[in-house]
């Protein structure tokens, strides 16, 4: 049995994880961490990592970047594998994650959907073939409560595209004013509204043809199942930084 700690257990994704975990074998949530201590969950919930007494095999984090520093210290101190699903980290925080991964295994992905990560690799191939004759635009849509914009997933896809282009490119966030589009631009557009779970579309617009690659999340369950799959993977690894490509052997 893999004993799991959920960071952000009282949040939206925390609740989805708890529900989906009941469908799985060989993995159990034994404790939670959340700033909101009002909980009727069937396991203890803590607001201080140092108070956690349970025997933990792996941690899944769907919380907030403000938790990162104390979370990494806890993981490194106890040598606990971490599945890091939170987005919106600063460049300095990314460096903290990389540093901590030298001491304990960390699985870090901007999107826990298997489909998104397969699409990322398809986009790498498509970009190498299409970039010379096509303009590339990224459109992402999320619910009105999402705080970071553009989404971590949009950057996951966008960075994969940019790394596939030998020329220097740059993001253009939205468009306004009076000027022509430049070839080096990768358009990045964010929409927020209602209860949209998550939708990402990459458009390759060429002369007389358009190619569109799109992924739509119909529920948050896909992110939970991806996180649990990552948890089962990371508990078997040595210290290091891992992602979906490693797990899926892409």
């Amino acid at each position: 049995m893999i004993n799991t700690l959920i960071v952000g257990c009282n949040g939206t994704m925390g609740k989805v994880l708890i529900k989906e975990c009941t469908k799985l074998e060989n993995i159990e949530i034994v404790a939670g961490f959340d700033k909101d201590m009002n909980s009727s969950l069937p396991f203890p919930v803590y607001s201080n990592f140092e108070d956690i007494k349970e025997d933990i095999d792996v941690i899944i984090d769907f919380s907030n970047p403000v938790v990162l520093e104390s979370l990494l210290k806890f993981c490194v101190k106890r040598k606990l594998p971490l599945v890091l699903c939170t987005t919106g980290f600063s460049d300095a925080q990314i460096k903290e994650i990389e540093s901590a991964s030298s001491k304990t295994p960390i699985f870090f992905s901007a999107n826990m959907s298997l489909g998104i990560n397969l699409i990322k690799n398809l986009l790498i191939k498509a970009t190498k073939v299409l970039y010379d004759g096509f303009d590339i635009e990224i459109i992402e849509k999320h619910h009105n409560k999402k705080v970071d914009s553009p989404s971590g997933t949009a950057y996951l896809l966008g960075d994969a595209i940019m790394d596939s282009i030998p020329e220097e490119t740059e993001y253009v966030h939205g468009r306004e004013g009076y000027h022509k589009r430049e070839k080096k631009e990768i358009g990045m557009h964010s929409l927020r509204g209602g209860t949209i779970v998550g939708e990402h579309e990459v458009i390759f617009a060429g002369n007389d043809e358009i190619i569109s690659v799109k992924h739509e999340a119909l529920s948050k369950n896909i992110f939970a199942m991806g996180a649990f799959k990552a948890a089962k993977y990371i508990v078997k690894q040595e210290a290091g930084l891992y992602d979906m490509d490693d797990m899926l052997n892409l």
Side-chain angles (χ1 to χ4, degrees):
M1 185 65 68
I2 300 175
N3 292 339
T4 307
L5 167 69
I6 302 298
V7 178
C9 60
N10 286 324
T12 301
M13 271 307 306
K15 294 174 182 176
V16 175
L17 285 165
I18 294 166
K19 180 181 177 181
E20 291 302 302
C21 189
T22 61
K23 304 175 184 178
L24 302 175
E25 297 180 356
N26 302 324
I27 190 163
E28 180 181 0
I29 301 172
V30 298
F33 177 94
D34 204 292
K35 63 180 181 179
D36 178 10
M37 296 296 291
N38 296 320
S39 175
S40 59
L41 297 175
F43 49 76
V45 178
Y46 300 89
S47 60
N48 187 332
F49 285 110
E50 295 304 318
D51 294 336
I52 298 174
K53 302 178 179 63
E54 282 69 26
D55 182 19
I56 305 295
D57 296 316
V58 67
I59 299 173
I60 298 177
D61 171 60
F62 271 102
S63 60
N64 189 289
V66 299
V67 179
L68 182 69
E69 184 177 357
S70 57
L71 172 59
L72 291 178
K73 286 181 179 178
F74 178 70
C75 291
V76 169
K77 181 179 179 179
R78 295 203 185 182
K79 302 298 185 203
L80 289 173
L82 170 64
V83 178
L84 197 54
C85 310
T86 299
T87 61
F89 293 118
S90 66
D91 291 341
Q93 288 177 312
I94 297 295
K95 291 181 180 178
E96 291 178 15
I97 295 167
E98 293 171 347
S99 177
S101 72
S102 67
K103 302 170 185 175
T104 194
I106 297 178
F107 188 102
F108 181 37
S109 177
N111 191 298
M112 297 309 297
S113 159
L114 302 183
I116 277 289
N117 286 276
L118 287 172
I119 284 176
K120 182 195 76 171
N121 285 274
L122 291 174
L123 289 172
I124 291 172
K125 295 180 180 180
T127 300
K128 291 177 179 179
V129 174
L130 299 175
Y131 176 71
D132 285 344
F134 290 74
D135 298 319
I136 305 173
E137 300 280 313
I138 301 170
I139 303 170
E140 59 98 349
K141 306 174 186 178
H142 283 88
H143 52 86
N144 57 21
K145 292 182 174 59
K146 186 170 177 63
V147 294
D148 57 316
S149 176
S151 68
T153 301
Y155 279 124
L156 174 74
L157 301 179
D159 290 349
I161 289 170
M162 293 179 84
D163 289 344
S164 305
I165 299 171
E167 304 170 18
E168 182 178 349
T169 55
E170 62 181 26
Y171 289 123
V172 173
H173 298 275
R175 296 190 184 279
E176 63 178 357
Y178 190 76
H179 54 82
K180 290 183 178 180
R181 184 192 197 283
E182 296 185 26
K183 179 59 180 174
K184 65 178 181 179
E185 296 176 0
I186 303 295
M188 183 75 80
H189 311 278
S190 299
L191 286 74
R192 296 289 178 268
T195 58
I196 301 171
V197 175
E199 183 178 315
H200 295 82
E201 182 176 14
V202 178
I203 296 173
F204 294 85
N207 292 328
D208 302 321
E209 62 178 332
I210 298 172
I211 298 171
S212 176
V213 180
K214 181 179 178 180
H215 179 275
E216 184 176 357
L218 301 180
S219 81
K220 295 181 183 295
N221 296 350
I222 61 172
F223 309 129
M225 299 313 292
F228 285 125
K229 187 176 180 67
K232 293 178 180 180
Y233 168 81
I234 200 67
V235 295
K236 301 176 183 178
Q237 309 307 317
E238 301 294 330
L241 191 60
Y242 303 85
D243 59 17
M244 279 288 186
D245 286 354
D246 296 309
M247 185 174 75
L248 300 176
N249 293 317
L250 295 174

